[in-house]
Amino acid sequence: MFRTKSVEQSIRDTEEPEHALKKSLSALDLTVFGVGVIIGTGIFVLTGQVAKETAGPATAIAFAVAGVVCALAALCYAEFASTVPVAGSAYTFAYAALGELVAWIIGWDLVLEFALGTAVVAVGWSGYVRSLMDNVDWTMPEVLSGPDVAEGFGFDILAFALVLVLTVILVVGMKLSARVTSVVVAIKVAVVLMVIIAGLFFIKAENYKPFIPPAEKQPAGSGWDAPLVQLMFGYEPTNFGIMGIFTAASIVFFAFIGFDVVATAAEETKLPQRDMPRGILGSLIICTVLYVAVSIVVTGMQNYRELSVSAPLADAFKSTGHPFYAGLISFGAAVGLTTVCMILLLGQTRVFFAMSRDGLLPRFFSKTHPRFRTPYRPTILLGVLIAIIAGFTSIEELATLVNIGTLFAFVVVALGVLVLRRTQPDLPRAFRTPWVPLLPIVSVAASVWLMLNLPVETWVRFGAWMALGVLIYFVYGRSHSLLGKRGR
């Protein structure tokens, strides 16, 4: 159960012709992928919710704190991705450092994270598109608008169609995916920069007073809705004040989810030892700067008590008498979510492909397309399944599973850096995480703290999914493991 797969063997497996992926990505492509998946609903929605309910104008500090937590994990990801340039991200890293069972658990965790993330984003994209259609008096029938809109039966045809189209793009090739992403990211970043530049002219200094509002005690949670840390230690989170900033950071962490997807494309990168660290760290730095700037501008345009929760950026411009910008922001949000959905789907298929190539899932799914050199079988299977989930299911209550799955992956990767530094100190490393062991330990502590701030019901659902994964491993994966067969 704790046998490890050597880095050398992982790299040799990528050289088998029928299981090899095409190398076509550059550092710029990786950075674009990172920016494309990170900038999504977080910057367009969470800013208002957090400012109004938790941190006030100090939301900018909360984004910076969340960015630091992600940066700690990103430095660990960068070392692994440049040292083990193989598809699978945290799954592959865990296999090399912590053993097969841990690798399976983290792979199973990532499948959940990316699947739910893709479906949730597709449903969100559908909502923005329907809103834009309403602006020009085009109305979708309720029965085709999803279960959130229709009374009784509802099927979200827009979310379903989006996932299927993106599946086709991913099957055709990574370079095409990178080109589509580049165009969409350019539009999305342009909209964000427009918000920052245009909003500067409508800032009122009095809206920043006080910048850190005085602390207010949160209503006590109970039962399933309570944060786990409250039940364990009696800790009661506060709104506003210094502690409110840290509470807000655990919320806006949602806005950073996705940068780890860049690591899943390591095998398809031309020079992974050089370009993976640049792509991971570059995209995270760019997005953190944009997030902080947007939150400063929005809380300066409108008093934090009056900000909209559902569409804070658009409504802030409406409050200043500029509805044109509000429409442009809605368009940017709809376009931007397209890349978020595609890159999450990309990440899931690469993890599934890597697990299949190792024999932990049926090897049938590890064959690449003879022409496009993409893992077309898992891409088609997962694309269709997620399209159905997005069409039929209202899954907002499951969105926190995406968060806990990501944080769990952060913990495993940081621990993996510590273990691999000790077990294979002479392994060539193109990028080395600084301040080891201090930085990985701090990364683990920060990630665990944010996990403890999630509701108890999230932990229960996460535990149930993990238990199912362990059962599948002992029933199928352990006996079919390619590494185990080689050992026998």
Side-chain angles (χ1 to χ4, degrees), residues 173-379:
M174 280 293 288
K175 199 61 186 177
L176 174 61
S177 305
R179 289 170 180 165
V180 172
T181 303
S182 297
V183 173
V184 176
V185 168
I187 296 173
K188 180 161 54 175
V189 172
V191 170
V192 173
L193 291 175
M194 180 274 295
V195 170
I196 296 170
I197 296 171
L200 288 173
F201 295 96
F202 307 114
I203 288 177
K204 297 179 181 177
E206 59 266 25
N207 289 332
Y208 290 131
K209 298 176 182 178
F211 190 77
I212 302 179
E216 298 176 1
K217 189 175 181 179
Q218 280 190 13
S222 61
W224 298 109
D225 296 330
L228 184 61
V229 67
Q230 180 176 325
L231 297 184
M232 291 177 63
F233 306 113
Y235 168 78
E236 295 185 10
T238 61
N239 291 334
F240 309 112
I242 299 298
M243 293 307 298
I245 294 174
F246 291 101
T247 302
S250 67
I251 299 173
V252 300
F253 178 81
F254 282 102
F256 289 91
I257 285 177
F259 82 85
D260 55 319
V261 177
V262 176
T264 66
E267 192 174 326
E268 293 157 278
T269 304
K270 296 175 184 176
L271 297 171
Q273 289 79 9
R274 182 196 70 184
D275 293 342
M276 286 305 301
R278 293 181 180 181
I280 293 173
L281 297 171
S283 58
L284 183 61
I285 292 170
I286 290 171
C287 293
T288 302
V289 171
L290 291 176
Y291 279 4
V292 170
V294 165
S295 56
I296 289 175
V297 167
V298 170
T299 53
M301 291 175 61
Q302 190 174 18
N303 186 276
Y304 71 93
R305 296 284 190 186
E306 300 172 0
L307 282 173
S308 162
V309 173
S310 59
L313 276 64
D315 290 346
F317 277 100
K318 287 181 181 178
S319 71
T320 62
H322 294 82
F324 167 77
Y325 290 112
L328 196 59
I329 291 169
S330 297
F331 171 75
V335 172
L337 291 180
T338 306
T339 56
V340 179
C341 192
M342 182 171 71
I343 299 169
L344 286 173
L345 182 58
L346 162 75
Q348 188 193 40
T349 58
R350 270 41 179 186
V351 173
F352 198 94
F353 168 78
M355 297 172 73
S356 173
R357 189 166 57 189
D358 289 332
L360 300 179
L361 290 171
R363 293 267 290 173
F364 170 82
F365 294 108
S366 65
K367 297 289 183 68
T368 54
H369 194 281
R371 177 184 174 187
F372 303 125
R373 310 307 304 171
T374 56
Y376 68 106
R377 289 174 177 175
T379 301

